[in-house]
Amino acid sequence: MQPASIAPKDRLIVALDLPGVTEAEALIARLGDSVSFYKIGYQLAYAGGLPLAQQLAKSGKKVFIDLKLHDIGNTVARGVESVAKLGATFLTVHAYPQTMKAAVEARQGSSLKILAVTVLTSYDDGDLYAAGYRLNVSDLVEARAQQAQVLGVDGLVSSAEEAAALRRIVGHQMRLVTPGIRPAGAATGDQKRIMTPTRAIAAGADYLVVGRPITEAADPRLAADAIQSEIKQAIT
Ligand SMILES: O=C(O)c1cc(=O)[nH]c(=O)n1[C@@H]1O[C@H](COP(=O)(O)O)[C@@H](O)[C@H]1O
């Protein structure tokens, strides 16, 4: 069961992984009312994307600032306070206890929600091992979800492959945001833990983050509309 409070159209978050504001504005214009939620990550944020975030929020779109913060607590807290002034809906931090605690405390009094990135969707068990972890992906995702829940984090970022297990752990109190979404037949790219929109929604994802399958499509609006139809069908 999905929480009724999320409008179906808001469940698709388009990643504006583009070189600059001009390119982002052109894509947003092309997508029109097909898309209501945009994500601004490293590439665009470091190329003038933060004023665009503010502008988008003012124009009625929802904005996800994906900076995946991770630093000493004080630095994270001050960064969160700055992001909270942009009018964004979501901000990502890495799911480390000190970082999550600082972010949750610093977002008090604002409408910003903190999402904890559990294990990146480009990682598999071998990548975690190479990074020094001795837990597999599902065990680390679940351990981090439990810590995030205890610390009062608003939502989790994980692959949709873990969504069903995460729902069992955190119930419907936390938002589940799933990148690594690939419509059937789409190129995987560097993603390792992927799912189709239909299966992701069925597994319990609240929001689907989609970048290249839309930004690199010959007709981005057609690609976004197709994903929106899949989402609508999957939730009814
Ligand atoms: O935090 C994220 O949004 C994120 C977390 C994660 O584990 N994997 C992941 O792909 N993302 C982001 O989701 C988007 C996925 O883009 P595509 O692979 O092009 O659909 C990118 O902007 C990533 O930065």
Side-chain angles (χ1 to χ4, degrees):
M1 195 186 73
Q2 302 291 336
S5 56
I6 310 172
K9 197 188 271 182
D10 290 349
R11 290 174 186 269
L12 171 63
I13 301 178
V14 173
L16 291 171
D17 293 331
L18 296 165
V21 171
T22 308
E23 292 84 351
E25 284 177 339
L27 181 67
I28 292 162
R30 231 174 141 180
L31 293 173
D33 59 8
S34 291
V35 174
S36 54
F37 212 148
Y38 286 101
K39 181 171 87 76
I40 295 180
Y42 290 177
Q43 188 182 14
L44 187 58
Y46 298 142
L50 297 181
L52 175 67
Q54 227 165 353
Q55 204 181 301
L56 277 174
K58 276 197 192 126
S59 76
K61 300 286 188 191
K62 293 190 185 329
V63 182
F64 170 178
I65 303 289
D66 178 24
L67 293 179
K68 296 187 181 68
L69 302 184
H70 185 209
D71 206 316
I72 61 168
N74 181 64
T75 301
V76 169
R78 302 291 85 81
V80 169
E81 285 168 8
S82 293
V83 172
K85 292 180 189 142
L86 299 174
T89 299
F90 291 146
L91 167 68
T92 41
V93 303
H94 280 289
Y96 285 77
Q98 280 187 13
T99 299
M100 294 190 284
K101 183 171 183 291
V104 165
E105 285 171 7
R107 67 96 167 92
Q108 300 299 339
S110 76
S111 56
L112 183 68
K113 304 277 183 230
I114 302 296
L115 304 178
V117 179
T118 56
V119 174
L120 292 168
T121 53
S122 59
Y123 276 52
D124 61 15
D125 292 343
D127 295 307
L128 278 185
Y129 192 85
Y133 292 91
R134 295 299 173 259
L135 289 176
N136 64 25
V137 169
S138 55
D139 288 348
L140 187 55
V141 167
E142 290 177 28
R144 287 179 163 171
Q146 276 157 355
Q147 289 179 324
Q149 188 177 31
V150 168
L151 290 167
V153 171
D154 304 296
L156 299 166
V157 179
S158 78
S159 158
E161 285 183 6
E162 295 93 45
L166 288 178
R167 275 282 173 238
R168 284 193 291 276
I169 294 169
V170 304
H172 286 280
Q173 297 314 304
M174 297 179 83
R175 294 303 193 212
L176 295 187
V177 179
T178 60
I181 297 297
R182 289 293 181 269
T188 305
D190 52 354
Q191 300 284 8
K192 290 190 178 156
R193 299 181 354 263
I194 60 168
M195 251 195 199
T196 63
T198 302
R199 289 188 57 219
I201 293 286
D206 289 315
Y207 296 94
L208 313 187
V209 177
V210 183
R212 288 162 288 184
I214 292 174
T215 59
E216 293 180 359
D219 186 338
R221 182 159 183 147
L222 204 66
D225 283 341
I227 294 172
Q228 292 287 26
S229 305
E230 266 197 62
I231 292 173
K232 234 185 251 164
Q233 264 192 313
I235 58 177
T236 50

